Amino acid sequence: MSISIATSPKTTSHLGTTTILPLVGHTRLTWQGLITSEWIKMRTRVSTYWLGGIGIIMMIAMAVTSAIQSIGGNVSASSVMTMATGGVVGAQFCAMLLGVFAISDEYHTGQIRTTFNAVPKRIPVLAAKATTVAIASFILTFASITVSLIVAHILSGRGLSFGYFTLDILRMYIGAPLYMAFITIISLMVGAVIRKSTGSISVILLILWALPGSAVMLPASIAGIVAAFMPSTVGSALYGSSSGGSDQVFSAITPQSSITLAPWLAFIILIAYAAIFAAIAIQVTKRRDV
């Protein structure tokens, strides 16, 4: 942890002996120190390893299941990548919990007081937490997809030939980790507002699951439009098998839409969602006592 301390020498005298003591003045926790601090907190939580492990297993298990079912068929390159990213549907809940626990655990134990005493402005704390969990989620998802892709290739009969990386395949490869990072960020911000794990998880499930499903109660002409801009369906445009985002995360309960979002537009919309959640979390955190 990097801490910069402004000091000036102070001379004291006792029985003819002169001692120079440092005078501690302004103490400031640097950005590097904040990131290091949040990294230590995250890797010392048991839940981090459980969630990371479960997420990886879910991703690989989905790829294995899909690949086995495709044995004997004519499997395309995009289909294999879809197998590798199919586990995002379930693993996103591990990312959700990772983001929530990053801040709700500190409120539960009271450690958040120490954190905010070290960084009274509080905004850098949220930024450091968001950066840490987002990077962790991205790396874990990317690694899981890589392993899942290799497994799916072998089991589907395509062997280890990976010379097909088109821009669309790369979009799916990078889009899934980006979506998972987005999930951790909004979950962290919801946790900063609600403070309680159960309440935060309920709100996020409402956003990702209940709201898309509730769109079916709207008129058919509106339901598809509303569903197309829900966070979960927007995210699917980043890693779905088509750039139109037809592979919706909750396709079984979400109204189908004729609107197709380009990956770059989906990415911008997700950033806008994250910015809105972050703005709310910042305002609430700044105004409320610990």
Side-chain angles (χ1 to χ4, degrees):
M1 185 180 300
S2 175
I3 301 178
S4 61
I5 302 176
T7 61
S8 59
K10 179 180 179 181
T11 303
T12 61
S13 166
H14 181 65
L15 298 178
T17 302
T18 302
T19 305
I20 299 178
L21 300 175
L23 180 61
V24 179
H26 176 67
T27 302
R28 178 175 58 86
L29 193 63
T30 65
W31 173 251
Q32 181 182 353
L34 270 174
I35 293 294
T36 303
S37 173
E38 294 304 326
W39 168 247
I40 292 173
K41 293 175 188 176
M42 183 176 65
R43 67 182 178 84
T44 53
R45 283 194 298 268
V46 177
S47 61
T48 299
Y49 298 94
W50 277 102
L51 293 172
I54 292 173
I56 292 172
I57 292 172
M58 292 179 70
M59 293 283 290
I60 297 175
M62 178 63 73
V64 170
T65 303
S66 301
I68 291 176
Q69 293 175 348
S70 68
I71 293 177
N74 184 16
V75 182
S76 65
S78 61
S79 296
V80 176
M81 181 57 77
T82 299
M83 296 175 192
T85 58
V88 171
V89 176
Q92 66 178 323
F93 293 104
C94 294
M96 172 190 72
L97 294 175
L98 180 67
V100 169
F101 291 158
I103 192 164
S104 64
D105 280 358
E106 287 200 51
Y107 277 110
H108 178 71
T109 61
Q111 187 183 18
I112 196 69
R113 294 186 179 90
T114 303
T115 301
F116 285 157
N117 282 336
V119 190
K121 290 185 178 181
R122 302 186 179 187
I123 296 178
V125 173
L126 290 179
K129 287 182 180 294
T131 300
T132 305
V133 295
I135 291 175
S137 181
F138 184 95
I139 292 175
L140 286 174
T141 305
F142 187 85
S144 300
I145 291 175
T146 300
V147 175
S148 299
L149 184 61
I150 295 173
V151 171
H153 253 272
I154 295 174
L155 294 180
S156 63
R158 291 184 61 92
L160 293 176
S161 175
F162 294 96
Y164 65 88
F165 277 100
T166 63
L167 288 178
D168 196 54
I169 297 297
L170 289 175
R171 168 189 61 80
M172 298 168 68
Y173 208 152
I174 302 299
L178 285 175
Y179 173 69
M180 295 287 271
F182 160 77
I183 292 296
T184 58
I185 291 174
I186 67 167
S187 299
L188 171 72
M189 298 308 168
V190 171
V193 174
I194 306 297
R195 295 187 174 189
K196 301 291 184 180
S197 297
T198 52
S200 302
I201 294 169
S202 299
V203 171
I204 300 166
L205 288 177
L206 173 69
I207 296 170
L208 296 180
W209 182 69
L211 288 181
S214 300
V216 298
M217 296 184 293
L218 299 173
S221 58
I222 302 177
I225 298 175
V226 172
F229 289 92
M230 290 291 178
S232 56
T233 49
V234 171
S236 69
L238 288 179
Y239 68 90
S241 59
S242 66
S243 59
S246 58
D247 296 329
Q248 296 175 354
V249 176
F250 296 104
S251 57
I253 61 172
T254 304
Q256 297 299 310
S257 174
S258 59
I259 298 178
T260 57
L261 295 177
W264 64 268
L265 179 58
F267 182 69
I268 292 175
I269 294 174
L270 288 181
I271 291 178
Y273 271 120
I276 292 171
F277 279 98
I280 296 173
I282 288 171
Q283 291 302 316
V284 172
T285 304
K286 288 175 60 177
R287 296 184 179 183
R288 193 164 53 186
D289 292 333
V290 177

